[in-house]
Structure formats: C-alpha cells, structure tokens
Amino acid sequence: CSMLYPSPWFNEGHATFFEGLEFKNRSVELEATQRLADFNACTGGNISANMLTKLLQMSYENFYSKDSFPRNYSSAWAITYFMNKGAPVMNKPEYTQIPFKYYEALNKLKNPEKATEEVWKDIDIEAFISDMGKFYSSKKLMKKAEKYDFMKNKELLKTP
C-alpha cells in the first residue's frame, strides 16, 4: 500500500488552519489570533515572492528544518488562512480555488510537486503576495474574514 502525501505547504498549512476550528451552536469559529501573532513574529507579517516560491517547492525535510520550521509553519498557515478566509472577502476567487484545485491535481497527477506546479502556474506570485499583504494589514478585511464562514461557500464545493 502506498500513500500519496500532499506537499508540506498544503499539508501543514491546512493542519494548522484547522487546529483552530471550534464548533459552537451549529456554527464554526476559527481562532486566528495566536497563529497571526506567530506569523508576525516569524516573518514580520509578510513574506516575499521568493520565500513563497521556496515554500511551495520545499521538501518535508527542509520544511521541518530546525532553523526554519517556525517560519515555515507560520507562513504555510498564513497562505492557507488567506486562501480560505481572506481571498473570499477580497473577491479573489483565483486564490480561493487553489486548495481545491491542488487536491484535484494531486489526485490526478499522483505527484505533490507536479500538483503544486500545476495549480500555481497561472497565479501571479507577486500579485498574490501583494494581496495577502493588503489583507493582513487591514483590520477591516481581517474582521470581515473572521466573520466569513468558508464552510458555507457553495461555489467552492462544486465539483466539475
């Protein structure tokens, strides 16, 4: 039996994203305060296009490197939170669809590196970084994202 593992940016980004999930009164709440503080402490609140490109191509061995794993985890969380909660409130469906497209590409290609390459090939990394920076520096957008229930987004759940 062989297992197909996603790339670390996807795997650990979503693991850290969902560990803040709480179910309360038939609704879902996602606590982001501590993760955001970690991201700010490890990266100064932003990452460069070069850093994102490296993160997307990173092996598990490099992701877990003792010198960089806090930055890698916090950055993977930040891009995942942005794709799932920030991009929708900024009306950026090209980013919101990345996790779903990655999952589909991984199942089709059976190769995490090729799936990452396939999904990100049409994404302007500089624009992504710029939009992510705008999101994290805007209290208004962060508040909107906090209230946004990504679990109810039916558009994202459609399968082709």
Side-chain angles (χ1 to χ4, degrees), residues 1-7 103 105-112:
C1 175
S2 75
M3 297 277 295
L4 181 60
Y5 293 98
S7 295
Y103 179 75
L106 182 62
N107 280 310
K108 178 183 172 189
L109 299 171
K110 308 291 187 214
N111 180 303

Side-chain angles (χ1 to χ4, degrees), residues 88-156:
V89 301
M90 292 178 76
N91 196 26
K92 299 284 184 178
E94 65 273 33
Y95 306 149
T96 304
Q97 295 169 1
I98 291 171
F100 300 97
K101 288 181 177 181
Y102 179 81
Y103 179 75
E104 290 173 351
L106 182 62
N107 280 310
K108 178 183 172 189
L109 299 171
K110 308 291 187 214
N111 180 303
E113 293 83 12
K114 288 182 181 176
T116 294
E117 191 177 302
E118 176 66 25
V119 171
W120 286 88
K121 71 180 182 188
D122 294 327
I123 300 294
D124 180 335
I125 297 290
E126 294 285 345
F128 182 91
I129 291 298
S130 175
D131 289 334
M132 192 170 105
K134 289 174 191 169
F135 170 70
Y136 283 116
S137 64
S138 168
K139 287 182 181 176
K140 181 180 177 184
L141 289 172
M142 290 292 292
K143 199 67 158 167
K144 273 180 87 172
E146 188 179 306
K147 294 177 182 178
Y148 175 75
D149 185 354
F150 71 99
M151 301 291 285
K152 292 181 179 176
N153 190 339
K154 303 293 188 229
E155 285 300 309
L156 296 176

